Amino acid sequence: MHTKTISELRLQLEKGEVSATEVTQYFQDRIEKYDSQINSFITTTFDQAKAGAEKADAALKNGEGKLLTGIPIAHKDLVSTKGILTTAASKMLSNYTPPFDATIAERLEAHGAISLGKVNMDEFAMGSTGGTSYYGITHNPWNLDHVAGGSSSGSAAAVAAGLVLAATGSDTGGSIRQPASFCGVTGIKPTYGRVSRYGLVPFASSLDQAGVLAKSAEDCAIVLEGMAGFDQKDPTSMEVELPHFSKLLEMPLKGLKVALPRNFFEGDMDTATAKAIDETLDIYRKLGLEFVEVELKYHDLVTPVYYVVAPAEAASNLARYDGIRFGYRAEDVQNLEELYCRTRSEGFGNEVKSRILMGTYAKTEKLYKDFYIKGQQIRRLISEEYQALLKEVDFIAGPTVAGPAYSQNHQASSIQNSLFDTNLIGANLAGLPALSHPMGFSNGLPLGFQLIGRAFDEARLLAAAHQYQKNSEWHQKLPANFA
């Protein structure tokens, strides 16, 4: 059942060939059997899921099934869920139970989706390995000694291992697309403002965007359709038309132009990755896409700018965790200063603390103009470069990252890891939609291919990936130990 697409399972549910209760029990059994190896879940919500399945069965019996009725999903643990622990994988929020639902959680439930729990991630979404979590690293289902990627590590691993059919994620600097690539699933970061951020524990507010991870582009389209749209509770939400993504997957692709930035192909790329890229481009050419090589003038500045802007915003967002209002609170303190210092030093992990320090440093009175303002000016240039290029072409494309997932013993700083992921960050700085889909393997580990599109053109990205997947089988591959 875990090998089925959402549309296949939805058809079976509508015909009564299987019940939502049976589906929920099946996936609960898989989580209980396999997740001890992966560590993709922080909190399971089996009782609520069973109650939701009973409601779904009643709705289906009455012919009242909706877009996702009976479909098993999970939420990244920074998506607020009413009455359910929401930790952002941090000790700081290890006892936090929100009194409200994030808009995306509310909408997916309204469409009938059944959440089986909250999945692991890098703490406060800061990291690209899944290894900064207070609850331990998420293991890659393809090789348990390798990272699942980050920060949406649990989302990607749970989908790859068939523990759920889809999961929500968030993407601030590649945090959906990189783990999607590492775990051999499809992940889409929508346009900034397409999906509500209300109820998401924030990292960097001008970069964060909620999205979806699933096996296929078709499944991503169905889930994105259920969670996207204008939300007056989110001041950055855009009031634009919401297409039926799942009904536009067969739109013609012939004649679309795609830019291949030479910058995206730099660095140490193994033979298998290069071969997978060539084969992927051949499939797209047969679908009618035309490719042109380009050079991105500001590509080398993407990561430095990200490491000024994102930590600066994080330092402001995380100032609320002071041990007074909610979350972790240090005990046996003598005064207010000690409460602040100990709460924050004990509640945050090293990666989060380092980014708070970087962000605070960049915003000091003496350095504000040289770092933060200059970073925002260069961000504008990067955004304008992407926007100008996308007036000439329909997509920008290339490998999602330079190669497969690395070993958990891989020694590198978060900045060095982000240099490995540098193809991802430009789409965040420019607020553009971007998608990663599987394109092959290297040393038994998945590889991903990325498409970046024009603002609010998710439908065409999903259509391109879907039609590629109709002509390839990489997205159907399963880790042997979880088949």
Side-chain angles (χ1 to χ4, degrees):
M1 194 181 296
H2 67 285
T3 59
K4 293 188 179 298
T5 65
I6 289 176
S7 56
E8 286 171 343
L9 183 54
R10 190 169 59 175
L11 190 60
Q12 281 193 306
L13 286 162
E14 289 171 353
K15 289 181 176 180
E17 295 174 0
V18 66
S19 70
T21 299
E22 290 170 330
V23 170
T24 299
Q25 186 61 54
Y26 173 84
F27 283 95
Q28 176 181 333
D29 291 345
R30 285 189 64 81
I31 293 167
E32 291 176 334
K33 180 178 180 180
Y34 292 120
D35 197 51
S36 59
Q37 300 175 54
I38 307 171
N39 194 34
S40 65
F41 277 81
I42 291 175
T43 303
T44 54
T45 54
F46 296 147
D47 289 342
Q48 294 96 320
K50 286 175 182 175
E54 290 173 4
K55 289 182 182 178
D57 283 330
L60 290 163
K61 187 176 180 181
N62 295 327
E64 298 171 351
K66 297 181 180 177
L67 182 69
L68 292 162
T69 299
I71 301 299
I73 67 164
H75 288 297
K76 186 174 181 177
D77 205 27
L78 53 60
V79 178
S80 295
T81 42
K82 185 177 181 179
I84 299 167
L85 200 62
T86 300
T87 72
S90 178
K91 181 179 180 180
M92 186 64 81
L93 291 176
S94 59
N95 63 355
Y96 174 58
T97 302
F100 66 100
D101 280 323
T103 295
I104 62 171
E106 187 178 78
R107 286 180 176 173
L108 290 175
E109 184 179 1
H111 279 288
I114 297 173
S115 174
L116 289 164
K118 310 295 288 294
V119 285
N120 210 350
M121 54 181 282
D122 280 301
E123 184 185 8
F124 282 101
M126 298 182 196
S128 56
T129 65
T132 69
S133 171
Y134 176 62
Y135 299 93
I137 193 167
T138 305
H139 301 275
N140 192 314
W142 293 93
N143 185 326
L144 298 176
D145 294 327
H146 286 244
V147 301
S151 63
S152 303
S153 54
S155 301
V159 171
L163 307 187
V164 289
L165 290 186
T168 56
S170 66
D171 195 311
T172 305
S175 285
I176 286 174
R177 292 160 288 153
Q178 188 250 36
S181 178
F182 280 2
C183 290
V185 301
T186 305
I188 183 167
K189 178 201 89 71
T191 309
Y192 185 80
R194 169 67 87 183
V195 176
S196 175
R197 295 187 302 111
Y198 177 77
L200 270 62
V201 177
F203 166 12
S205 299
S206 75
L207 298 166
D208 297 344
Q209 184 57 66
V212 188
L213 296 99
K215 281 286 187 182
S216 67
E218 180 183 19
D219 284 357
C220 284
I222 294 168
V223 179
L224 184 60
E225 197 172 309
M227 64 192 274
F230 176 69
D231 178 17
Q232 62 182 4
K233 290 184 281 191
D234 175 6
T236 64
S237 178
M238 299 294 287
E239 197 165 359
V240 294
E241 182 184 356
L242 178 62
H244 290 288
F245 299 120
S246 60
K247 296 180 181 178
L248 296 170
L249 294 170
E250 301 297 338
M251 68 168 66
L253 302 179
K254 187 174 177 59
L256 294 186
K257 291 186 178 179
V258 183
L260 299 176
R262 282 181 281 271
N263 321 69
F264 281 13
F265 298 82
E266 294 172 348
D268 298 328
M269 193 177 294
D270 63 31
T271 304
T273 303
K275 183 173 181 285
I277 292 168
D278 288 341
E279 291 174 351
T280 295
L281 296 179
D282 284 343
I283 291 174
Y284 274 122
R285 286 190 184 97
K286 289 174 184 175
L287 290 170
L289 275 66
E290 302 170 7
F291 293 94
V292 57
E293 289 191 12
V294 299
E295 192 80 27
L296 291 173
K297 181 179 178 182
Y298 300 109
H299 182 74
D300 290 344
L301 297 175
V302 162
T303 299
V305 166
Y306 175 81
Y307 270 95
V308 169
V309 174
E313 294 185 13
S316 295
N317 279 326
L318 272 60
R320 70 192 70 183
Y321 303 110
D322 53 14
I324 294 176
R325 285 164 282 195
F326 62 96
Y328 175 77
R329 180 173 187 161
E331 298 178 351
D332 301 321
V333 296
Q334 303 302 312
N335 52 54
L336 189 61
E337 183 178 355
E338 186 183 358
L339 173 65
Y340 288 158
C341 292
R342 279 191 45 205
T343 292
R344 292 173 68 79
S345 64
E346 295 170 13
F348 291 131
N350 288 336
E351 181 64 29
V352 173
K353 285 188 278 193
S354 71
R355 298 204 193 193
I356 291 172
L357 289 171
M358 278 193 287
T360 303
Y361 181 76
K363 293 190 299 179
T364 56
E365 185 177 358
K366 290 184 179 180
L367 300 172
Y368 181 76
K369 288 184 179 180
D370 290 339
F371 281 82
Y372 185 71
I373 295 299
K374 184 64 69 177
Q376 291 287 17
Q377 290 170 338
I378 300 172
R379 177 184 182 177
R380 179 65 179 266
L381 294 175
I382 292 166
S383 179
E384 288 176 348
E385 181 174 42
Y386 272 75
Q387 301 281 0
L389 180 55
L390 285 164
K391 288 180 180 178
E392 305 296 324
V393 300
D394 299 280
F395 302 139
I396 301 168
T400 307
V401 290
Y406 34 81
S407 165
Q408 291 175 19
N409 297 323
H410 164 80
Q411 298 293 319
S413 70
S414 61
I415 294 177
Q416 288 171 318
N417 286 334
S418 283
L419 289 170
F420 184 77
D421 302 339
T422 193
N423 293 0
L424 301 162
I425 298 171
N428 295 91
L429 295 173
L432 298 170
L435 176 151
S436 176
H437 67 69
M439 69 166 178
F441 287 84
S442 175
N443 296 318
L445 290 160
L447 300 166
F449 190 77
Q450 179 181 219
L451 297 171
I452 301 169
R454 296 168 181 163
F456 301 102
D457 198 14
E458 293 86 359
R460 203 147 38 158
L461 284 179
L462 290 161
H466 170 69
Q467 291 177 47
Y468 168 87
Q469 289 176 339
K470 286 175 67 177
N471 290 274
S472 69
E473 297 181 348
W474 303 119
H475 64 292
Q476 297 173 359
K477 303 291 185 182
L478 293 169
N481 293 336
F482 303 95

